[in-house]
Amino acid sequence: MSAIMLHVGQGGNQVGQQLWSTALNECAPKGDTLINRETRKARAILIDSEPKVVRSSSIRRGVENLWNPDNVIFHQNGRGNNWAMGYKDSQSPSGLRSSLSDTTMEIFRKEVERCDYYTGCIMTHSLAGGTGSGLGSRLVERLRDEYPANYIINASILPASSGESPLQHYNSCFGLSYLQEYSDCCILFQNEGLLRMLGRQIQLLGGQGVAMLNLNEYISSCLFPMLQVERGEKVDFQSFMNLVPMPSYKFIELQSSPFLYNKAPSFTQAASWDQIFDNAILQAQMLEPVSENKALRPINCNLATHCLVKGEDAYSHVRKIPSVYQKYRAR
């Protein structure tokens, strides 16, 4: 059973680079799940409306031989941080190239044909820009139409409350509406919450500030265990779907502990399982906006929780999870 990764736009490709780098550093993916056993190339498609990021992916040390050159798709002009321009997805100005969505779907079809048994796809993208939000919405719509029986999982990055683009909130709103309608499950990463949470942790570790690399490292460290590529098994889409008790409640969040800072664990010594669980709970609290007015504080309700524990003697400590969850609810 195989899955295909789609990395759309600048943010999606940067996260995708880090995700594959993390996978290769921890352990080479086995089997035929995310790597084609014949060509030894990743089952991944890199899409952007500008060449800068996808070209840097193809020459990045450690993953430069991982991509199929035919699966790297880009145009020369951007989408102006505009959801409508990304969704409309017209041909290149010269008229010599077809639209990005048409090219992507054709390459996606060929990639599906190379799979023994195609189960679904995972898309990484940002909802702030025009390509990630607009083209991402268009691709999700077309994937649902052409592959209605297969899973679609989105890992989406939400913009901060204030940023460079005045259209980022419109882009996010339109993008989320399409994810709500066509995606099976959407993993949300909030830029503002991540910056606040990582800033506090890096300050405790003696760092100077949060870099874009730190954000990408954290997001990839959250996604990598869920994909379970190190076991050589199928991507466990059911673990995602277990967190979606109803079709209309499909937005989930992930936290990972320990936090990787510059590719090194935030714990300098061997940590107890209690420390790891408490650190994960602390991260969840840091992601929540803080307000002195109790009436303005958000009321969060978890409908489902999935805990994935990895490490030596990990399963002997799973019994701790119910008591830790009760402690979290008490807080």
Side-chain angles (χ1 to χ4, degrees), residues 72-87:
V72 179
I73 311 167
F74 59 87
H75 279 180
Q76 296 294 336
N77 56 314
R79 293 297 180 265
N81 290 323
N82 190 313
W83 180 91
M85 292 181 65
Y87 182 82

Side-chain angles (χ1 to χ4, degrees), residues 36-274:
N36 188 316
R37 67 164 68 104
E38 296 179 357
T39 63
R40 305 311 301 167
K41 299 294 184 180
R43 298 190 186 279
I45 304 175
L46 284 60
I47 312 118
D48 200 0
S49 56
E50 296 177 315
K52 180 179 178 181
V53 176
V54 292
R55 280 180 174 170
S56 67
S57 299
S58 61
I59 61 174
R60 177 171 175 170
R61 178 177 296 181
V63 296
E64 69 274 11
N65 297 321
L66 195 60
W67 317 117
N68 182 345
D70 294 334
N71 290 9
V72 179
I73 311 167
F74 59 87
H75 279 180
Q76 296 294 336
N77 56 314
R79 293 297 180 265
N81 290 323
N82 190 313
W83 180 91
M85 292 181 65
Y87 182 82
K88 183 181 178 183
D89 189 31
S90 58
Q91 294 182 342
S92 62
S94 62
L96 299 178
R97 293 187 179 185
S98 59
S99 65
L100 277 174
S101 64
D102 288 340
T103 305
T104 301
M105 294 306 298
E106 177 62 20
I107 292 177
F108 191 89
R109 180 188 61 80
K110 294 178 181 178
E111 199 63 51
V112 169
E113 291 175 352
R114 299 189 190 105
C115 299
D116 293 334
Y117 185 87
Y118 168 64
T119 53
C121 70
I122 301 119
M123 179 188 296
T124 62
H125 61 134
S126 170
L127 293 176
T131 306
S133 62
L135 181 60
S137 300
R138 180 64 173 157
L139 290 175
V140 169
E141 182 182 24
R142 295 189 63 174
L143 286 168
R144 176 56 66 212
D145 181 57
E146 297 187 27
Y147 303 93
N150 300 108
Y151 291 111
I152 301 175
I153 306 294
N154 291 81
S156 308
I157 305 170
L158 289 171
S161 58
S162 60
E164 297 179 356
S165 173
L167 298 176
Q168 61 182 14
H169 299 302
Y170 294 100
N171 297 338
S172 300
C173 183
F174 293 137
L176 288 172
S177 69
Y178 272 75
L179 297 181
Q180 174 68 28
E181 184 170 358
Y182 297 109
S183 179
D184 290 302
C185 176
C186 183
I187 307 167
L188 291 180
F189 296 97
Q190 303 178 33
N191 253 347
E192 199 161 36
L194 291 180
L195 287 170
R196 182 170 57 249
M197 182 267 292
L198 295 180
R200 294 179 184 177
Q201 295 220 14
I202 290 176
Q203 187 177 12
L204 293 175
L205 295 172
Q208 300 298 320
V210 183
M212 186 61 66
L213 175 63
N214 303 132
L215 285 172
N216 295 335
E217 279 183 343
Y218 180 78
I219 294 174
S220 65
S221 68
C222 289
L223 291 175
F224 174 72
M226 296 294 290
L227 300 179
Q228 300 192 22
V229 294
E230 80 281 5
R231 297 185 181 182
E233 303 171 353
K234 63 179 181 180
V235 175
D236 189 9
F237 284 98
Q238 196 57 45
S239 64
F240 291 99
M241 300 313 300
N242 287 340
L243 296 173
V244 184
M246 298 176 63
S248 57
Y249 296 102
K250 59 181 65 175
F251 295 103
I252 67 175
E253 288 187 345
L254 299 180
Q255 279 87 42
S256 176
S257 177
F259 160 59
L260 296 178
Y261 179 50
N262 293 337
K263 299 184 179 181
S266 54
F267 292 117
T268 56
Q269 299 177 351
S272 67
W273 285 103
D274 287 336

